[in-house]
Structure formats: structure tokens, C-alpha cells
Amino acid sequence: MGPGSAVSVRGVSVRGLKILVVVMGVMIIVATVALVVALVQRMNSAAGGVANGIASGVSTDLALRQPPGSRIGQIAVLDGRLAVWVERPDGARILLVDPRGGRVAGEIRLGE
């Protein structure tokens, strides 16, 4: 047997298995890259709804009118609205803000 010949173990060539392992490894890498690209595109399209509203002339001035001592904990985009986590002295809450109308569309109180 020369260096280029395939060794057979119970009818399966080792060379064939090596090729199969390399192909499957490449497939895993391609699938992972595709997943990352899909996630980035989905995140950009979700944020794009709010960004498109701002770019089309919607006012960026918004006053949440919260009591002194309040602070914003987190902001997320949710179905074209902004979900703003506000930590207030009397308890935390989530404000659903409509960026097109520039008003608070709803409020979810936590721990009451």
C-alpha cells in the first residue's frame, strides 16, 4: 500500500471518513455564519421601524414626566414602540412609548 491508497476498516475507507468530517465541519461553520447574519438582520429590521419614524420627520423630543429620583434602566424596541424600563422611588415600571405620536401609550407596573 502506498501513501495515497485508502485503508479499509470493515469496508469503510478512512480517507472517505476524513473527507466526510471536513465537509461536515465546513457545513457547521457555514450554518453558524448564516445564523449570525440572520440575527443581525432581524435586529436591524426591528430597530429600523423606530429609526425610520425618526428619519421621516417625527419629533425626537419626548418628556416622560416621571417623579424626581426616577431613572431609566433599559430601553428596547417592541412592535414599533419603545419599551422603557423606569425605576422610580415608588416601584419599577415599563412605559410603552409611541415614537410617532410622542406620547406614552401604556404602562406596566411591576410588583403591585
Side-chain angles (χ1 to χ4, degrees), residues 51-101:
N52 289 340
I54 292 172
S56 65
V58 173
S59 174
T60 57
D61 295 332
L62 177 66
L64 294 178
R65 294 180 183 87
Q66 297 298 305
S70 299
R71 68 180 195 88
I72 294 176
Q74 196 169 17
I75 300 175
V77 178
L78 178 68
D79 294 333
R81 294 185 178 171
L82 295 174
V84 182
W85 177 285
V86 179
E87 295 180 10
R88 295 174 37 162
D90 61 343
R93 59 196 68 213
I94 298 172
L95 302 177
L96 300 173
V97 179
D98 180 14
R100 297 190 190 282

Side-chain angles (χ1 to χ4, degrees), residues 7-14:
V7 178
S8 180
V9 178
R10 291 189 185 165
V12 179
S13 85
V14 174

Side-chain angles (χ1 to χ4, degrees), residues 33-46:
V33 169
L35 179 64
V36 169
V37 167
L39 287 173
V40 168
Q41 286 179 345
R42 183 170 279 184
M43 288 172 55
N44 285 339
S45 67

Side-chain angles (χ1 to χ4, degrees), residues 23-37:
V23 169
M24 291 172 74
V26 169
M27 288 173 55
I28 289 172
I29 291 171
V30 168
T32 303
V33 169
L35 179 64
V36 169
V37 167

